[in-house]
Amino acid sequence: MDQMIAVNPFWEMRDLPFTRVASRMAALNGTCCQNQAALAGQGNGPAAAETASMPEHWQNLSAQLDRNRDTAHQVGWQDEVVHQISQFCGDYFQRLDAGDFKADAQDLYHSWLQMTRADRGIAIVMGEPSLPSQFQVLPDQHEKLITDALDALASQPDYAPDYAHALLLDINGWSSWAAYLRWQARLSGHEEDLLPGLLAIRLAWELAIWRHVQHVGGAIFAELKQRWLKQWDTWPEMLQTHEQSQTTGWRQQTEAESAYQSQMAEKLLTRPENPSSDDQPLKLQAAFCIDVRSEVYRRALEAQNPAIQTLGFAGFFGLPISYRPKGTGFCRPQLPGLLAPALEVTEAEPADSFSRQSLANHSHWSQFSNAGPASFSFIESMGLAGLGRMVRKTFFGKSSDNPVDQLHKGQTEFEIRQNGTLLGAAEKAELAGGILRAMTLTHDFAPTVLLVGHGSSTRNNPHAAGLDCGACGGQTGSVNVRVLAGILNDKDVRAALAKQGISIPSETRFVGALHNTTTDEVECSGDVPDEIRGFLANAGAQARRERALRLGIANESDVDSAIKKRSQDWSEVRPEWGLAGNASFIVAPRSATRHLDLGGRSFLHDYRWREDEGFNILELIMTAPMVVTHWINLQYFMSVTDNLHYGSGNKVLHNVVGGHLGVFEGNGGDLRIGLPLQSVHDGKRWVHEPLRLSVYLAAPREAIAEIAQKHKVVQELIDNDWLYLFRINDEQTSIERLYRNEWQPVATRSSSTGGQSGED
């Protein structure tokens, strides 16, 4: 949760059409990928998807057995299995994360087996005295367990992978955590897959239950066996039934997406009545993250003066870095989860001892006070002293910034190393040149150029990192912008850049800044003219008034104070809406959208294809930012359509597990994934409309199609309906869609639209 990045929860199934994945997931565990109430705007509440009629789905053995159990007065098998595995995983993965040992699938399984064999409480809780004997005879090796269990339970071996998938979905949170560890290991160039061990644990429970009920005998086992064998025989029919049942829902889904795309086409094909002049000298250039929240602030900032130009670029600003505060053993990535850091950044001077101690204290207390189920145990341990501390923080507390972010504040110089070797001016210039070209910022520099990262400001919020920059590994972009500003202000680097054809005027100064998305304040890390500070303050006030409408506080007498107060309120469950509402990704010159109000729903990336020799920048955009925006879009999509399975539920009930691994909803159950309900629902209606991402590229069709065919992942996203890919032509007179290697006309500017054709 300290490096939270939104992801598509079905990423490993992207080679299949989204509709087929949706029907498969519905058949496996009742997942709903459609929310008709949300699409229709009826605001029927978060239970709409769960109560919608759905055919019967696959039931694992534990769930099958619950049909013969009085779960109103007895603990259900399914709930207890999930609870037991989850409690074990919480302890195991916390110790693994702390570095107490190095695990593999066998170690995971064997550790669980030892614990379970020694546990006498399971028999008491379940009221089954002979159950523990079944764990004693399970194989000690996880591979043997998997083989034995499938031999005993998989009556149709061809469907065994589906059964295994259904079992892992019972503990989807911990399966996702194991998959995350595997992803991180692969980024580092090695293999670490704990999922087979986790599958063995879940299968072991199934085998133990089956043998236990078989040993007890009687009508219950006979009925269980009959239902179990029938389910295996009818699995193909179940899949087909779910696919057929979703036909109407997908038609409604595509109709809602088409309606949004029609609105976007009307906007994108409308030229400004009074286009801005390129002859006017610039006062300010400000590069922002492509994050949808930046669209609101950029529009407000540009409205302050026509001599202000804003740019959109990925929030890690092209720096493939990890940040290691000098004098500490701490290190964290500052780039998208798709990538592994290639460089390490640290301060030229170490932080003071007080700041380093603050970091150590923060780490110690967060691990103790947040360990699940911790909110209650912390007060129980600390007594009245802990209660007093909570009261003081509630009524008199100050901003609870992450101490890691405090270490580099005030720093103007950073050291950058690659494999332990300091980068020189030539290497920095090579890095900076690529970044500036990707930003479309290679000439006509303003006297002040702001590099604006972003972060949030909330309290008592385990999901705070989800409001920070996904392009920075769930951190703020503060380190990235300060490092890049330092590089670009370096005289030696500028001299090397001039040899690349990028001449930065001596009077131009780059300044790192941070956009607080919760309060819409921009803090600059260096001196800027008073006039520019005024522009930033006025833009923040304008953006806050726009956001106040969605927050439901537009009628407050002092909107500015109300919004800032929300950001520091421990009890506020909706300090901001994050990226709720995201629906499109526009890759084009800012001139194509500057005159438009996109409602904070669009990711904006500046791009001029005529300045992109070989279309290398376009390729980078389509394989990195486009994938990241798709991840964000699908996480929000699934957190709305099925918050039960792919959201994290009610954040009021959350308990943090292992200091930062994730949350339980309450004090048990599976580890929750996705967004809290309060991040997508205001208590009366959904604030996020679940639409698949619409991508708009202002580039030649041949280049787009060639890149899509070159990269399998991109091709799969387009052709399997995970996103829509559109092209805007040079004159902004038509839009066409790329789908399965063919271009399909979508919209054309009507003669009544008027206006002038613009650049690119």
Side-chain angles (χ1 to χ4, degrees), residues 395-552:
F395 294 103
F396 308 107
K398 297 180 180 180
S399 177
S400 51
D401 292 338
N402 190 319
V404 180
D405 295 326
Q406 301 301 311
L407 294 178
H408 62 80
K409 284 196 172 181
Q411 291 286 333
T412 57
E413 295 185 16
F414 290 84
E415 297 174 345
I416 308 173
R417 287 180 170 81
Q418 185 171 31
N419 299 323
T421 303
L422 277 172
L423 295 190
E427 292 88 355
K428 290 180 182 178
E430 192 66 30
L431 178 65
I435 292 170
L436 290 174
R437 282 186 284 271
M439 289 173 63
T440 69
L441 184 59
T442 57
H443 52 79
D444 299 329
F445 292 92
T448 301
V449 182
L450 294 184
L451 304 174
V452 190
H454 66 92
S456 61
S457 175
T458 61
R459 301 178 67 202
N460 191 31
N461 182 12
H463 286 82
L467 298 177
D468 288 336
C469 185
C472 299
Q475 318 301 332
T476 74
S478 180
V479 172
N480 301 64
V481 296
R482 288 169 183 261
V483 170
L484 184 57
I487 292 174
L488 294 173
N489 287 328
D490 187 297
K491 292 181 180 180
D492 294 335
V493 171
R494 289 190 179 190
L497 282 171
K499 296 178 181 179
Q500 298 182 28
I502 302 175
S503 296
I504 301 174
S506 59
E507 64 271 18
T508 293
R509 178 168 174 76
F510 290 83
V511 179
L514 190 70
H515 173 204
N516 185 329
T517 56
T518 316
T519 64
D520 273 313
E521 297 171 302
V522 171
E523 177 186 357
C524 299
S525 62
D527 292 333
V528 297
D530 290 341
E531 183 182 28
I532 290 177
R533 290 193 181 277
F535 292 153
L536 296 174
N538 292 337
Q542 181 176 325
R544 282 190 291 272
R545 275 150 185 75
E546 181 172 331
R547 293 196 204 277
L549 294 171
R550 295 183 70 196
L551 290 170

Side-chain angles (χ1 to χ4, degrees), residues 121-140:
I122 295 175
I124 299 173
V125 169
M126 300 306 297
E128 303 286 345
S130 62
L131 176 62
S133 63
Q134 299 300 336
F135 295 109
Q136 303 300 325
V137 296
L138 292 176
D140 290 338

Side-chain angles (χ1 to χ4, degrees), residues 288 293-301 515 520 522 536 539-540 543:
F288 288 81
R293 292 166 292 184
S294 297
E295 188 271 332
V296 178
Y297 191 92
R298 287 178 63 183
R299 185 163 22 93
L301 181 58
H515 173 204
D520 273 313
V522 171
L536 296 174

Side-chain angles (χ1 to χ4, degrees), residues 61 144-157 163 203 206-208 210-211 214 221 225 228-229 232:
L61 263 175
K144 180 70 163 57
L145 180 284
I146 292 174
T147 300
D148 288 357
L150 292 180
D151 285 346
L153 301 175
S155 63
Q156 302 283 352
Y163 178 37
L203 265 171
E206 294 277 284
L207 183 59
W210 176 261
R211 288 173 172 174
Q214 186 178 32
F221 178 72
K225 182 177 180 180
W228 185 243
L229 295 177
W232 281 89

Side-chain angles (χ1 to χ4, degrees), residues 56 158 672 696 745:
E56 184 175 354
D158 288 347
R672 299 303 298 265
Y696 297 87

Side-chain angles (χ1 to χ4, degrees), residues 266-295:
E266 184 177 354
K267 289 183 177 182
L268 292 172
L269 298 181
T270 302
R271 299 297 297 158
E273 295 181 3
N274 300 304
S276 59
S277 172
D278 293 335
D279 299 330
Q280 184 173 5
L282 292 170
K283 292 178 178 284
L284 170 67
Q285 287 167 313
F288 288 81
C289 182
I290 62 176
D291 189 290
V292 297
R293 292 166 292 184
S294 297
E295 188 271 332

Side-chain angles (χ1 to χ4, degrees), residues 193-262:
D193 192 358
L194 298 176
L195 278 168
L198 201 57
L199 174 61
I201 292 171
R202 184 63 189 88
L203 265 171
W205 268 102
E206 294 277 284
L207 183 59
I209 290 172
W210 176 261
R211 288 173 172 174
H212 170 69
V213 179
Q214 186 178 32
H215 174 74
V216 173
I220 292 180
F221 178 72
E223 184 181 346
L224 176 65
K225 182 177 180 180
Q226 181 183 18
R227 287 199 309 262
W228 185 243
L229 295 177
K230 180 181 179 181
Q231 182 174 243
W232 281 89
D233 292 338
T234 59
W235 170 239
E237 297 173 21
M238 187 180 292
L239 272 173
Q240 186 177 14
T241 299
H242 277 273
E243 187 172 347
Q244 293 172 346
S245 72
Q246 293 187 0
T247 302
T248 300
W250 282 114
R251 184 176 69 249
Q252 294 174 334
Q253 179 73 42
T254 54
E255 287 173 355
E257 290 160 347
S258 296
Y260 172 78
Q261 290 158 3
S262 295

